[in-house]
Amino acid sequence: MKAFRNLVKPYLFWMGVFIVIPMLLIILYAFTRQGNDVMTFTFTFDNFIKFFDPIFLKVLGKSLQIAFVTTLVSIILGYPVAYYVANTKEKTQTLLILLITIPMWINMLVRTYSWISILSDNGFLNSILKAIGLSPVSLMYTDFAVTLGMVYNFMPFMILSIYTVLAKMDKALIAASYDLGANRLQTFLRIVLPLSVPGIIAGITLVFLPAVSTFVIPKFLGGGNYMLIGNLIENQFITVGEWNFGSAISLIMAMVIMGSMLLTRRLDRNVEESDKGVNHGNGGVMYGRQ
Amino acid sequence: MVGSKPAKWLPFFLIGSTLLFFYLPILIMMVFSFNGSRSLTNWAGFSTQWYTQLFNSRDMMAAVMTTVSIALISTVISTFVGTVTAIGLSKSNKVIKETVLMISNLPILNPEIVTAIGLMLLFSAFAIRRGFATMLLAHIAFSIPYVILTILPKLRTLDPNIAEAAMDLGATPWQALIKVIVPQITPGIVAGALIAFTMSFDDFVISYFVTGNGVKNISILVYTMSKRINPTINALSTILVVIITIALVLVNALPMLRKKERIAIE
């Protein structure tokens, strides 16, 4: 068996070059001044201090706010959908899940781009409003448009991870609850909902994380001047060329995301502790990517 | 809803409107890719002019070529490396396995943009000119972790003594690997390759940061062209949507058809 162990070795080297060194480089750039020579680095906290300017803090605040609203809307709209899909016949379930999955396979930029033709001032939506005699609305380049684009792109992840948990749930528990005299609402609130929390938590991770860091959706639907933290990082690297500041912003963003994930996980643990003895399904299914 | 059965129309309405929400933009885009004018709202008669323009556009065709060739090469390499590494990990001790997985999963857990700028800094630190090669390396790098994660569970279900049995019977470690282990994890390898291919094909953020020298994949082209309404994007997207839908339906329908055939034979 020892012969097979050596198979890991090439990847150890590869990981060092393509995962560890890039991380170290981001940290190095974040803590140094611009104009590094190969061997001389000037350490500084300036890049972090610079971020604590009301302009930049506002951008971070807005990113968190929009990501939060996106996650919340995805839960509120996605949960009932997942619930009803899980309650259909098995064949229907397969079909519906396939239908929900197909759009996720289509290029995200293309899908977001197509919203422009719906939301723009002389777009699809306004031509319908005009046709039924209502006054047109200006939707493009607003918070609403950006949030809509994010819900559109990320809600499928929420639906799928809640569905996975609900579909695996032991139906006997629900029957037992009815037998013991609980009504539908009580059964849902006391049995189904608590058991599906791991699915919601997994969904939050899959929605919140890309929603905080995306820069394509705000650029397409929020316009060129719309700034979220992702756009700020993109600008530092592509337009402004301040890699050191850009690296510092990325580190701050990574920290904030990690913090919110730990917070969410604590929420999960609290729920788990409150109903010990009930076996949770594993909701940590990776549906992939964004 | 308390105590009584919920109305039948509610689930129907909810699922229906959600699917409409998911598909409406795609459908509108597909319909207007055949529009006679540049407008995305006024129908000016059926026309295939945007498709003609698409196939005549050198930029578009170059982007398609770049996307497909990078997806194919990175899939082959990342599937190979991922498979080999996963097999090695399955035989390693717990500490090594967990450490490797922890580091390997970093790009999956990190926001994409962080992985992207890390790779950009890496290439600039080693003074590698950004272009096709850097994009390819980046795609291999972000695909391998997914391949490993897909194949590892398959290896876990494998009998650990099976390779040893093969070697006791005179097989070399290499033969045991190729003739005994690999055939049993083939479904996992195929799934890993599929994930690697689609990840590469759809990637924007990482490609955008590590490319240079005018090399663009489809996503980067859409991003740079999106400033003005451009129906050729709709035409290209429509072709992609059709291909992907057919592929997905085939992948999902084939096992069902085979099952039916088997039942028919029995």
Side-chain angles (χ1 to χ4, degrees), chain B residues 17-212:
Chain B
S17 49
T18 306
L19 288 178
L20 183 71
F21 174 57
F22 287 161
Y23 281 92
L24 187 70
I26 300 170
L27 289 176
I28 291 178
M29 177 191 75
M30 291 174 88
V31 170
F32 279 92
S33 73
F34 293 104
N35 194 6
S37 82
R38 196 170 268 277
S39 166
L40 290 167
T41 40
N42 298 319
W43 184 253
F46 182 86
S47 146
T48 53
Q49 58 167 318
W50 305 117
Y51 289 86
T52 324
Q53 260 194 34
L54 168 70
F55 288 109
N56 287 332
S57 156
R58 199 175 287 173
D59 279 355
M60 286 273 195
M61 287 300 111
V64 171
M65 276 302 293
T66 306
T67 308
V68 172
S69 47
I70 286 195
L72 286 176
I73 304 171
S74 75
T75 301
V76 171
I77 298 176
S78 61
T79 307
F80 177 76
V81 178
T83 307
V84 166
T85 310
I87 293 172
L89 282 178
S90 72
K91 305 289 180 198
S92 303
N93 64 43
K94 209 177 161 199
V95 180
I96 292 180
K97 191 173 164 183
E98 276 175 5
T99 318
V100 170
L101 281 181
M102 200 182 74
I103 299 172
S104 172
N105 288 347
L106 271 177
I108 299 177
L109 301 172
N110 257 335
E112 244 187 324
I113 194 169
V114 175
T115 310
I117 61 169
L119 288 168
M120 181 187 180
L121 294 176
L122 174 79
F123 293 132
S124 99
F126 286 95
I128 303 169
R129 256 184 65 179
R130 276 176 278 153
F132 188 89
T134 51
M135 207 200 273
L136 179 62
L137 281 172
H139 280 228
I140 296 169
F142 73 65
S143 301
I144 295 174
Y146 287 97
V147 176
I148 295 176
L149 277 191
T150 325
I151 295 178
L152 264 185
K154 286 268 174 255
L155 285 162
R156 213 167 287 146
T157 59
L158 215 64
D159 187 339
N161 299 320
I162 207 161
E164 240 161 301
M167 285 189 272
D168 282 348
L169 292 169
T172 62
W174 175 251
Q175 284 172 326
L177 189 69
I178 295 299
K179 298 204 166 163
V180 178
I181 298 183
V182 170
Q184 298 200 64
I185 55 167
T186 305
I189 298 175
V190 172
L194 272 176
I195 290 177
F197 186 85
T198 49
M199 299 262 314
S200 166
F201 198 88
D202 280 348
D203 180 69
F204 166 66
V205 178
I206 292 170
S207 307
Y208 178 62
F209 279 93
V210 300
T211 193

Side-chain angles (χ1 to χ4, degrees), chain A residues 4-5 8 11 23 81 84 98-99 105 107 110 113 117 122-124 152 184 216 219-220 234 243 250 290, chain B residues 4 10 18 21-23 40-41 88 91 104 110 112 117 124 198 202 204 208 219 223 226 230 237 252:
Chain A
F4 291 143
R5 260 176 226 173
V8 183
Y11 188 58
M23 290 292 156
V81 174
Y84 287 127
L98 179 66
L99 283 174
W105 289 76
N107 194 305
V110 163
Y113 177 80
S117 56
N122 47 8
F124 184 77
Y152 179 74
R184 286 187 74 89
V216 175
K219 188 103 160 202
F220 278 17
E234 185 213 350
W243 294 11
S250 322
Q290 181 274 309
Chain B
S4 66
L10 186 65
T18 306
F21 174 57
F22 287 161
Y23 281 92
L40 290 167
T41 40
K91 305 289 180 198
S104 172
N110 257 335
E112 244 187 324
I117 61 169
S124 99
T198 49
D202 280 348
F204 166 66
Y208 178 62
S219 301
Y223 189 68
S226 65
N230 190 335
S237 311
N252 281 278

Side-chain angles (χ1 to χ4, degrees), chain A residues 80 83-85 87-88 184, chain B residues 1-16:
Chain A
Y83 179 83
Y84 287 127
V85 170
N87 279 319
T88 56
R184 286 187 74 89
Chain B
M1 175 165 158
V2 180
S4 66
K5 272 207 152 195
K8 268 243 169 85
W9 59 267
L10 186 65
F12 191 77
F13 172 77
L14 270 172
I15 296 173

Side-chain angles (χ1 to χ4, degrees), chain A residues 141-286:
Chain A
Y141 312 128
T142 58
D143 289 354
F144 173 79
V146 175
T147 314
L148 180 90
M150 290 206 189
V151 171
Y152 179 74
N153 272 292
F154 306 134
M155 189 166 78
F157 294 109
M158 183 64 79
I159 296 178
L160 289 175
S161 59
I162 295 174
Y163 163 79
T164 314
V165 176
L166 288 176
K168 275 194 297 192
M169 194 177 289
D170 189 354
K171 296 284 185 295
L173 288 172
I174 296 162
S177 163
Y178 286 136
D179 286 348
L180 292 169
N183 61 33
R184 286 187 74 89
L185 185 66
Q186 284 170 326
T187 306
F188 177 76
L189 288 179
R190 293 196 173 176
I191 308 290
V192 180
L193 189 61
L195 283 177
S196 58
V197 167
I200 301 176
I201 301 282
I204 291 175
T205 316
L206 292 172
V207 173
F208 188 79
L209 188 114
V212 172
S213 58
T214 177
F215 63 94
V216 175
I217 298 169
K219 188 103 160 202
F220 278 17
L221 301 174
N225 295 323
Y226 199 92
M227 272 286 164
L228 292 187
I229 196 95
N231 304 86
L232 197 61
I233 297 173
E234 185 213 350
N235 277 356
Q236 298 307 316
F237 278 93
I238 305 288
T239 342
V240 189
E242 287 207 30
W243 294 11
N244 301 76
F245 186 44
S247 300
I249 305 172
S250 322
L251 272 189
I252 293 170
M253 182 181 74
M255 291 299 157
V256 170
I257 289 177
M258 241 184 265
S260 15
M261 289 304 142
L262 285 178
L263 219 73
T264 326
R265 224 169 271 162
R266 178 161 297 172
L267 201 83
D268 186 30
R269 209 168 301 143
N270 283 347
V271 174
E272 248 169 60
E273 267 162 24
S274 72
D275 50 36
K276 255 188 194 146
V278 184
N279 196 11
H280 281 280
N282 172 27
V285 182
M286 272 298 298

